[in-house]
Amino acid sequence: MSHRVLVVEEEEKLARFMELELKYEGYDVSVVRDGLKGFTQAQEFPPDLIIVDGALPGMSGLELCRRLREMGIRIPIILITAKDDVEERVMGLDAGADDYIVKPFNSDEFFARIRVQLRRTHTTSDEVLQFADLRFNRSTREIQRGDRLIDLTAKEFELLDYLLSHARQVLTREQILERVWGYDFMGDSNIIEVYIRYLRLKLEAAGEPRLIQTVRGVGYVLRD
């Protein structure tokens, strides 16, 4: 499955350039033209990477970074800036951006910075994830709730992995179905509800508080 990239850029020509270049390289691209729409889309349809201009209508790129980080959203962010000075870079990094790129830039630098951020995301995917008293080890496939070991099936493991990777983010049924079961899934339409129930039974078997919450009419979110 190709990486999903959200581009938040007001300047039409630059936005179009990035969209075409990214699509040509095989990325799945969404483009929005103001910061508030970018902020909303990053929550509702979390991408693998966000590319955002520092100066935007509605909400600045810096504010977008800051708010996403305050919400605990760790999606890699590359900030586009028109100024190549230390103060501008420091402000962007302090706001929560992972990297920055200065206008004008060429395609080689653009894609190099994207690859670096996606590699870092991939590298952290082998680490232990922790949320509340839930500990999840991708490499050993061990799951613990407190001191209790939990045995999951392959699909339960995959679903919990996705929820943990987007902790505190509301995930729609469509997003979960696409990521865990795939685009071409033609099975039981209630499959997500069934597996959420399986996970809850196992995660709450010793009377622990519920972590997988239902958001009515939308989907699910992992939060304590």
Side-chain angles (χ1 to χ4, degrees):
M1 190 178 296
S2 61
H3 289 293
R4 297 195 297 175
V5 178
L6 172 62
V7 174
V8 191
E9 171 58 60
E10 179 188 18
E11 188 181 327
E12 186 176 355
K13 287 184 178 179
L14 181 56
R16 185 60 176 160
F17 164 78
M18 289 190 285
E19 181 180 17
L20 291 175
E21 290 287 307
L22 286 161
K23 285 183 175 179
Y24 182 78
E25 292 294 325
Y27 293 96
D28 182 3
V29 189
S30 296
V31 178
V32 294
R33 303 293 294 281
D34 70 69
L36 191 56
K37 287 180 181 177
F39 177 67
T40 301
Q41 185 152 327
Q43 297 171 77
E44 295 180 351
F45 305 98
D48 299 303
L49 177 77
I50 300 172
I51 301 170
V52 58
D53 200 324
L56 291 167
M59 178 189 294
S60 72
L62 294 179
E63 185 64 18
L64 183 149
C65 292
R66 189 176 293 112
R67 290 199 190 183
L68 289 178
R69 296 316 187 216
E70 286 173 353
M71 295 175 67
I73 296 174
R74 307 311 307 168
I75 299 166
I77 300 174
I78 297 176
L79 187 70
I80 300 173
T81 176
K83 298 178 182 178
D84 187 15
D85 61 61
V86 174
E87 184 179 356
E88 186 88 3
R89 297 198 301 268
V90 169
M91 286 175 61
L93 295 171
D94 283 348
D98 297 279
D99 197 3
Y100 67 93
I101 187 167
V102 180
K103 299 177 185 178
F105 52 83
N106 64 39
S107 296
D108 290 341
E109 179 185 9
F110 180 60
F111 284 111
R113 292 182 181 275
I114 288 172
R115 288 193 296 270
V116 166
Q117 293 308 318
L118 291 175
R119 274 202 304 270
R120 286 176 180 170
T121 305
H122 178 72
T123 299
T124 58
S125 69
D126 293 330
E127 296 176 357
V128 174
L129 301 179
Q130 182 125 15
F131 185 85
D133 60 347
L134 179 64
R135 186 177 173 84
F136 183 97
N137 191 316
R138 283 191 175 112
S139 56
T140 65
R141 301 184 76 83
E142 288 184 346
I143 299 96
Q144 284 180 266
R145 186 89 195 259
D147 297 325
R148 183 170 63 87
L149 285 171
I150 300 171
D151 184 35
L152 298 182
T153 66
K155 193 56 70 175
E156 289 167 353
F157 184 93
E158 218 177 317
L159 176 57
L160 183 57
D161 190 347
Y162 185 49
L163 292 169
L164 272 166
S165 300
H166 298 81
R168 298 189 178 90
Q169 296 178 44
V170 176
L171 300 171
T172 66
R173 295 183 75 263
E174 291 74 19
Q175 286 174 292
I176 296 170
L177 198 62
E178 174 187 315
R179 285 301 182 95
V180 180
W181 278 271
Y183 287 102
D184 56 353
F185 178 75
M186 298 294 289
D188 186 352
S189 60
N190 294 321
I191 192 71
I192 297 173
E193 288 77 6
V194 170
Y195 274 84
I196 290 289
R197 185 168 69 250
Y198 291 162
L199 276 180
R200 283 173 171 165
L201 287 171
K202 292 183 178 183
L203 294 177
E204 303 165 18
E208 296 94 341
R210 175 155 295 180
L211 294 180
I212 304 174
Q213 311 290 341
T214 301
V215 180
R216 292 191 180 278
V218 182
Y220 299 92
V221 59
L222 190 75
R223 62 184 172 211
D224 47 8

